[in-house]
Amino acid sequence: MTDADERLNLADPQQRPRFTGLATFFRAPVAESAEGLDIALVGVPYDGGVTNRPGTRHGPREVRNQSSLMRRINQATGAAPFASARVADIGDAWVAKPFELSGAHAEIEAFFAQVKAAGARALACGGDHSISLPILRALAGDAPLGMIHIDAHADTGDNYGGSRFHHGAPFKIAVDEGLLDPKRVAQIGIRGSMFDPDMWKFSHDSGMKVIYVEELEARGWRACMADALAFVGDGPIYVSFDIDALDPAFAPGTGTPEAGGLTMREAMGMVRMLKGRDIRGADMVEVSPPFDTGGLTAMNGATIMFELLCVMAGGP
Amino acid sequence: MTDADERLNLADPQQRPRFTGLATFFRAPVAESAEGLDIALVGVPYDGGVTNRPGTRHGPREVRNQSSLMRRINQATGAAPFASARVADIGDAWVAKPFELSGAHAEIEAFFAQVKAAGARALACGGDHSISLPILRALAGDAPLGMIHIDAHADTGDNYGGSRFHHGAPFKIAVDEGLLDPKRVAQIGIRGSMFDPDMWKFSHDSGMKVIYVEELEARGWRACMADALAFVGDGPIYVSFDIDALDPAFAPGTGTPEAGGLTMREAMGMVRMLKGRDIRGADMVEVSPPFDTGGLTAMNGATIMFELLCVMAGGP
Amino acid sequence: MTDADERLNLADPQQRPRFTGLATFFRAPVAESAEGLDIALVGVPYDGGVTNRPGTRHGPREVRNQSSLMRRINQATGAAPFASARVADIGDAWVAKPFELSGAHAEIEAFFAQVKAAGARALACGGDHSISLPILRALAGDAPLGMIHIDAHADTGDNYGGSRFHHGAPFKIAVDEGLLDPKRVAQIGIRGSMFDPDMWKFSHDSGMKVIYVEELEARGWRACMADALAFVGDGPIYVSFDIDALDPAFAPGTGTPEAGGLTMREAMGMVRMLKGRDIRGADMVEVSPPFDTGGLTAMNGATIMFELLCVMAGGP
Amino acid sequence: MTDADERLNLADPQQRPRFTGLATFFRAPVAESAEGLDIALVGVPYDGGVTNRPGTRHGPREVRNQSSLMRRINQATGAAPFASARVADIGDAWVAKPFELSGAHAEIEAFFAQVKAAGARALACGGDHSISLPILRALAGDAPLGMIHIDAHADTGDNYGGSRFHHGAPFKIAVDEGLLDPKRVAQIGIRGSMFDPDMWKFSHDSGMKVIYVEELEARGWRACMADALAFVGDGPIYVSFDIDALDPAFAPGTGTPEAGGLTMREAMGMVRMLKGRDIRGADMVEVSPPFDTGGLTAMNGATIMFELLCVMAGGP
Amino acid sequence: MTDADERLNLADPQQRPRFTGLATFFRAPVAESAEGLDIALVGVPYDGGVTNRPGTRHGPREVRNQSSLMRRINQATGAAPFASARVADIGDAWVAKPFELSGAHAEIEAFFAQVKAAGARALACGGDHSISLPILRALAGDAPLGMIHIDAHADTGDNYGGSRFHHGAPFKIAVDEGLLDPKRVAQIGIRGSMFDPDMWKFSHDSGMKVIYVEELEARGWRACMADALAFVGDGPIYVSFDIDALDPAFAPGTGTPEAGGLTMREAMGMVRMLKGRDIRGADMVEVSPPFDTGGLTAMNGATIMFELLCVMAGGP
Amino acid sequence: MTDADERLNLADPQQRPRFTGLATFFRAPVAESAEGLDIALVGVPYDGGVTNRPGTRHGPREVRNQSSLMRRINQATGAAPFASARVADIGDAWVAKPFELSGAHAEIEAFFAQVKAAGARALACGGDHSISLPILRALAGDAPLGMIHIDAHADTGDNYGGSRFHHGAPFKIAVDEGLLDPKRVAQIGIRGSMFDPDMWKFSHDSGMKVIYVEELEARGWRACMADALAFVGDGPIYVSFDIDALDPAFAPGTGTPEAGGLTMREAMGMVRMLKGRDIRGADMVEVSPPFDTGGLTAMNGATIMFELLCVMAGGP
């Protein structure tokens, strides 16, 4: 390997300080497409679906920046994702026509369809939570997927602001379109005040398992996650982690913060329990750098992405 | 209802984004007085009683601002305070002559006396903790009240800086004046270093129940709060929540932070246990926006106020 | 006047501290509509037209907050706008269906049409610069208006991101629709790098007067503004002030900052030269609180709005 | 000189990095009193006189912290104040009974009376501007002093909030008490909106020279300061520099910011013109760290103090 | 005691507000050397050993600043360290020649050797973690010490960046040099991703007890700390607390943050369990103010130092 | 050009929003080496030469991030650098052994020697100012270069902290080594307090032209820069721009801020006057993101780099 090549590959941090070089996710190599990859790291800098505070369009860049703090091996689990799998940062699923929500979603879907066509699995970094819908449209194949969904909000809402496609509704639509099997969807960390007495009625009616944060506080995260995994079963799943699942002390930089959320010890523990599952794709969404303080949210978002990568990459 | 009227009432957030409109507490309607209300939301922008870092005079405005993140219904308890009670923001109990502490307190007392005379109960937003004294003077009727007091400090100190009336002493004076029955006062979350070996001697001598944060760490918040409620009994109570009860990671923006405090999951759980109690008034105090980072403290303060509102409003 | 009434009117700050009360623009009284007003202060919390950094949807609330630092009389000019004119804050021209740009503009236009129908002139606070277009649609009557436009960008661009209506294009469309007479439009403070060699070709081709910041640096603001006023003439004009006209040291909190801009002494001096002109409406736009540092941009934005109010209100 | 002594004296920064050691003003030596000094550096951590945003009680500590950036010699003027004069940091004129304004002022006056009795001149760091009054009471001897007063506000107001002694009034009282000769007082940089048409009527009526910032913008700081110095004449003077004289881009951390102020180049140039004057004492006030961004205001305040020290210390 | 003396001693905060005076650790008296002291508080403003984000050279000053929030007595334990022991702030072990790492360490070692020679024990405030090595060199006497080490990283790494002496390696070298007995070293809170599969191989191979944060989450801090203390035994120990042991929500201002760390309740509880141990010296390191938000990390660092002081000082 | 290729080249921002994609300087293409380039953009993330506040090691990454705000064409001058020259971001001249200053410099020199060998000119982004020395060593050929040096400090100091090679001395050494011809070196913007009466004696003694900021304030930047250019003459030059030349209001994020500096209008104007000169290399140094507020310093640094690129690239 030549010197020049080395500069484009994952730096060996024993020699190369972490503050150097272009910021890619985890300082992984850049690839022009998902061809030849097992896992494609993708930014989705789109926040056209937000209903309150914007800014997640700046998420992928800042999560990349903070992800330089990650190293190559997971000390807690022994996972070595860059050794177990071919992983690269394939850039952003950016949107050419951002002023119209459903068209923007079509652009995002097309990008992820290419990833799937290349035989790779995607680990996406939002952007707002509306992006999970076009990703699921691209990834869900012949049969609906199950889902582990860690979030403060069930995101199974109805029309808002004249649109069905905002960041509070992706999973209702995904069920409606047959992309998700609600009987294999578990939602964990749900909390916060509501506009309607039954804002997440669709979750309950469709048969999803909803685990509120109060249950998690009472029973502990291990028991709750074990229940969720049992509910979802061993089939193929999608994993969606909304950073607002964390308490705002851990994730102030997000559009819809809700007091009383998860700690990072809980969140990391829960993601690690996904090891061995058949994960077809995953996202970590809703990091909004303009509302962040000192990069804490982006750093925690990068950490969650690293834990997701570890359970997706196979190996130890 | 005309369009114009609608703009002055509580917005229906399914149609109206939360970042719009004038910032009132929870986007509740504005009222010119407490007449006809069940619960009056009141700001008390006064920090003349602080002994260290000032800034809580800016608290009410910023708590109003962050309280737009709240919605109408409490998902965890089902409480719908705006449906169960007539609630409005009646503005600020501002102080015309701030340069003299006891005169300022008299002004505040007069404001809350009007609220009581109107038949409404007050939920106040400080301001420093010295404001609890004039509020209690206005609210306490013929018999002393009990109190649930969640705080890092017992606030039963003596003279400081030549004054009896600062923010570290309101509850000693309130007992002295017969406004509080110390045998029905429970203080929870107490911690921090002390000037004197027995800085809160008055709490112990007068018979208050003092629950230190170390006990809460060891036994859990449910058991501690249950003990506090049993101690206080079923009679009429006042509730005072000092935001510095929270750990500084959750509430950096306060004048006297003490490491090792409550999480928001603990604090919200404890406030919810007040449901069904005879709450005659309540306050949430000591949010100091100039020391806040990213509005986190004000948001958590608004959340605590919302939980207080829910247990004061009756209904489900 | 009763005590209660007094609380809803403009506070007499000799008695009432500026940090108290609900935040309206300049602590002006709230009105339900523009009926009976000479000048209506309006927030337009909409940023659906931005092409890079969002956040101006939060502008009106934070400009209102910082505008409490303003007092009633302009020391430099003697203007007393609240005495010379009936002025009130009529709330926000909020958008019910934000996910589609041209529909959003129609909602904004309808709001300002009501202001005009009531016989009042509007002083608007954005929101992104795309809002000037619907305001002009509402305000421009039978004949096109002239315009004094202070900005870093000429905002006469073409399609971007698949839309004609973004915040870099309002004034091209306004000319196309006959709302502005380009021969009476002067643009001041223009600077920054460009995508195309002639990004603002439309300004030049249509006959607008474009004064770059380099000319202002060389000749001084008085001479430049005098030229602009001579060009625009004495007829009816609209005034649009984009806060990014200021140097980023004075206005960091904006979506498209450009180094090398105006100081506040220059900007305030230029706005004061508008005295005596026939101003039919005005806006101050592009304050983005999530990117602001310490409220500086919002405070400067509020100051510019106050200076605009002073020249709109007549009197001394 | 022993090693131990060296550690307590002004570090030789060629050997000792500026981020080390206890933060005294300019890393000057600490002295227990003003005995034997020519110039005593004094903090006055008191903000009980503010009418809007508090926090200047934290000013002296943060100005000390930032003043470590200063070195020993003034490059522009050649002044070497630590060589020309015996200078030390004598700590804070702190207030034991802060809850009552006039008593607090008496405590401050007593401290400065000791400085004067020791034969030293004081260079004070506020605190709010109300502290100039007790300092003048202590320093003004048999005859009233002249004053160069650089500020956004004339601070010759009347009663406010029930008190005569707040930070908007010290110089009216100082004239009333015969401490200042208004015919030898020049105020420079005045601007901002007003509550009353003639808020600073006392300045004009008593014969002070008031130079508004608009005049400074038009004529330049050299001409304005030359006029001010000619007006004040060669007799003994006090110098008071309110950091809000600076534009908020240069001094965001202050209680009453006013857009359109001085740059640091202007302010430093003006202070340097004081060389050779008979300065009996000076203050730099109104730095409010809780509202500062990145320490900029405290650093500029420390720089102004250093320039004041240079013109007070004599020598080249 | 004269008034002047009183100003140099520990202020009686019942009379003296905490924001006044020069910032020493806990507002303890200043001493020129460790002579006559039991415990010497020392800053070590050196960050030449960092491998990623710098800034801890500014740690001692900001920890001193925030430590004014501490008072004299530990409410939870009754410890009164300033009564039980002679304690003073002896300033900084600053480095005259910072550009070469091992020379810098020699300077630091010389400073602490003087402290030991004076018969005092040192409580140091870093600086980066590389400083523990020269401190141990100075303190370790004839026999190697045990150590309680609370940290996210075991800091027993090998060469990095061409140096053995960086902040990720001090304890390997200390064992190699016979300063520490690895069989009496317990490391608690270890976590984070790794460069190598066995980055802390030396800890395991040499026989240290390594308690990962996952074990702490599962078994609780009391049990883990009890194990650590049993492992270390009753002999003389050193205590090293790296602030990055805390979760980044509690300590954002550090050079190598790792998600999923300790809360302050856990950390304080663990330090308190050290009571009665034979502590020969201690440090609290890696507070980096330029990366801090609102002083939270420095405040928590000061709190940990206070808890360390309490267990070092003897008494109740 | 395929879609995949397009993603790696300079985005057409008419289609691609500026917040998307990996952050390279100006979103220029990435190149593995300088081969085939006219101008190589290089980051030098090294701050081992600082004497006070560190952090510039993080400069290149954040300047790259903010440089996305730049577009392709200079509106003021018409320069189109990406059309006139082959320009790419070739990554960082990172340092493998950072703990020893002169070795680190050798590594940096080797990197720039490769750039020169490839026939490209380098535009570097620091890092601290010590990096100019190894760059000059690499670039200066047979004859010494002239230099335009815009800075608050002359950086011609002597030993400090036991080293000759720190960031206050590069240009003395460069003259000593024959890399610079002091008779063709002009230094502009010099100011700030001094340790020694003649800290920059070497500049004067060696015959450099030193233009203090006071002269610039008095005579204007055009005249000063014209003098500097006349002094330097038409021969080959190096250009070094230290961001602390700017006033701290424009560049708070730097290690050695000095009040009273340049505005961005002045700085940009001065750089533009370099058009047509024979610039052999250039740097923009001393941006320290940990001390920055809101990215302002990095944005201004990126803007200065863009102006340097425009005068280096030839064309219109």
Side-chain angles (χ1 to χ4, degrees), chain A residues 37 42 102 137 140 157 201 237 253 256 289 299:
Chain A
L37 298 179
V42 186
S102 61
R137 283 173 176 158
K201 178 176 161 56
I237 59 170
T256 320
M299 189 187 78

Side-chain angles (χ1 to χ4, degrees), chain D residues 18 71 75, chain F residues 129 149-156 167-168 171 187-193 199-200 203 242 244-245 254-258 286:
Chain D
R18 281 175 284 170
R71 304 175 196 81
Q75 186 169 207
Chain F
H129 218 154
H149 174 206
I150 304 177
D151 197 335
H153 313 92
D155 289 354
T156 50
H167 71 152
F171 300 123
Q187 304 185 304
I188 312 169
I190 309 305
R191 63 186 190 278
S193 54
M199 200 153 91
W200 310 130
S203 289
D242 187 320
D244 68 23
T254 193
T256 321
E258 306 285 353
E286 296 283 353

Side-chain angles (χ1 to χ4, degrees), chain F residues 23-105:
Chain F
T24 64
F25 289 117
F26 316 118
R27 303 199 288 160
V30 174
E32 297 188 14
S33 77
E35 293 295 333
L37 298 180
D38 296 308
I39 299 175
L41 306 169
V42 185
V44 190
Y46 179 74
D47 61 6
V50 295
T51 55
N52 190 4
R53 312 194 307 190
T56 63
R57 69 182 70 181
H58 301 287
R61 184 172 285 187
E62 189 58 18
V63 172
R64 280 187 177 99
N65 190 17
Q66 292 289 334
S67 75
S68 291
L69 287 168
M70 309 293 110
R71 303 175 197 82
R72 289 183 293 185
I73 295 167
N74 191 316
Q75 185 168 207
T77 68
F82 300 103
S84 308
R86 293 165 299 173
V87 180
D89 183 332
I90 65 167
D92 282 354
W94 61 274
V95 170
K97 299 189 176 177
F99 296 114
E100 201 274 314
L101 185 47
S102 61
H105 282 174

Side-chain angles (χ1 to χ4, degrees), chain A residues 4-5 7-8 15-23 30 32 45 57-58 61 64-65 68 92 94-96, chain F residues 4-5 7-8 15-24 30 32 45 57-58 61 64-65 68 92 94-96:
Chain A
D5 284 348
R7 281 194 185 274
L8 287 186
Q15 294 181 39
R16 200 160 298 185
R18 279 175 285 169
F19 48 83
T20 65
L22 300 183
V30 174
E32 297 188 14
R57 69 181 70 180
H58 301 287
R61 184 173 286 188
R64 281 188 177 99
N65 190 18
S68 291
D92 284 352
W94 60 274
V95 170
Chain F
D5 284 347
R7 281 193 184 272
L8 286 186
Q15 294 180 36
R16 202 162 297 186
R18 280 176 284 170
F19 48 82
T20 65
L22 300 184
T24 64
V30 174
E32 297 188 14
R57 69 182 70 181
H58 301 287
R61 184 172 285 187
R64 280 187 177 99
N65 190 17
S68 291
D92 282 354
W94 61 274
V95 170

Side-chain angles (χ1 to χ4, degrees), chain E residues 73-229:
Chain E
I73 296 166
N74 191 317
Q75 186 168 206
T77 68
F82 301 102
S84 308
R86 293 165 300 172
V87 180
D89 183 332
I90 65 166
D92 283 353
W94 60 274
V95 170
K97 300 189 177 177
F99 296 113
E100 201 275 313
L101 185 47
S102 61
H105 282 175
E107 292 188 63
I108 295 168
E109 180 182 350
F111 188 99
F112 283 89
Q114 287 184 322
V115 173
K116 189 185 180 190
R121 284 171 296 146
L123 173 51
C125 173
D128 70 51
H129 219 155
S130 77
I131 69 165
S132 296
L133 178 60
I135 298 175
L136 282 167
R137 283 173 177 158
L139 299 191
D142 310 318
L145 296 168
M147 180 169 69
I148 292 289
H149 174 206
I150 305 177
D151 198 335
H153 313 92
D155 290 353
T156 50
D158 226 313
N159 272 19
Y160 180 90
S163 172
R164 297 179 62 218
F165 301 107
H166 56 86
H167 71 153
F171 301 123
K172 175 180 188 304
I173 303 173
V175 170
D176 287 346
E177 297 186 359
L179 311 173
L180 289 176
D181 173 2
K183 300 292 190 294
R184 293 187 54 239
V185 170
Q187 305 185 302
I188 313 168
I190 310 305
R191 65 187 188 278
S193 53
M194 296 187 297
F195 293 132
D196 284 318
D198 205 358
M199 200 154 90
W200 310 129
K201 179 175 161 58
F202 183 85
S203 289
H204 295 287
D205 289 355
S206 66
M208 296 178 181
K209 181 171 190 64
V210 183
I211 302 177
Y212 296 97
V213 83
E214 287 77 20
E215 180 179 347
L216 191 142
E217 168 78 5
R219 298 180 57 224
W221 57 270
R222 277 180 232 272
C224 291
M225 188 67 180
D227 286 1
L229 288 169

Side-chain angles (χ1 to χ4, degrees), chain B residues 164-237:
Chain B
R164 299 178 63 217
F165 301 107
H166 55 86
H167 72 153
F171 301 123
K172 175 181 187 305
I173 303 173
V175 170
D176 288 345
E177 297 186 0
L179 311 173
L180 288 176
D181 173 3
K183 301 292 190 296
R184 291 186 56 237
V185 170
Q187 304 185 304
I188 311 168
I190 310 304
R191 65 187 188 279
S193 54
M194 295 189 298
F195 293 132
D196 285 317
D198 205 358
M199 200 155 90
W200 309 130
K201 179 176 161 58
F202 184 85
S203 289
H204 295 287
D205 289 355
S206 65
M208 296 179 182
K209 181 172 191 62
V210 182
I211 301 177
Y212 296 97
V213 82
E214 288 78 20
E215 181 180 347
L216 190 140
E217 169 78 4
R219 299 179 57 223
W221 57 270
R222 277 180 231 273
C224 290
M225 188 66 179
D227 285 0
L229 288 170
F231 184 80
V232 167
D234 290 330
I237 58 171

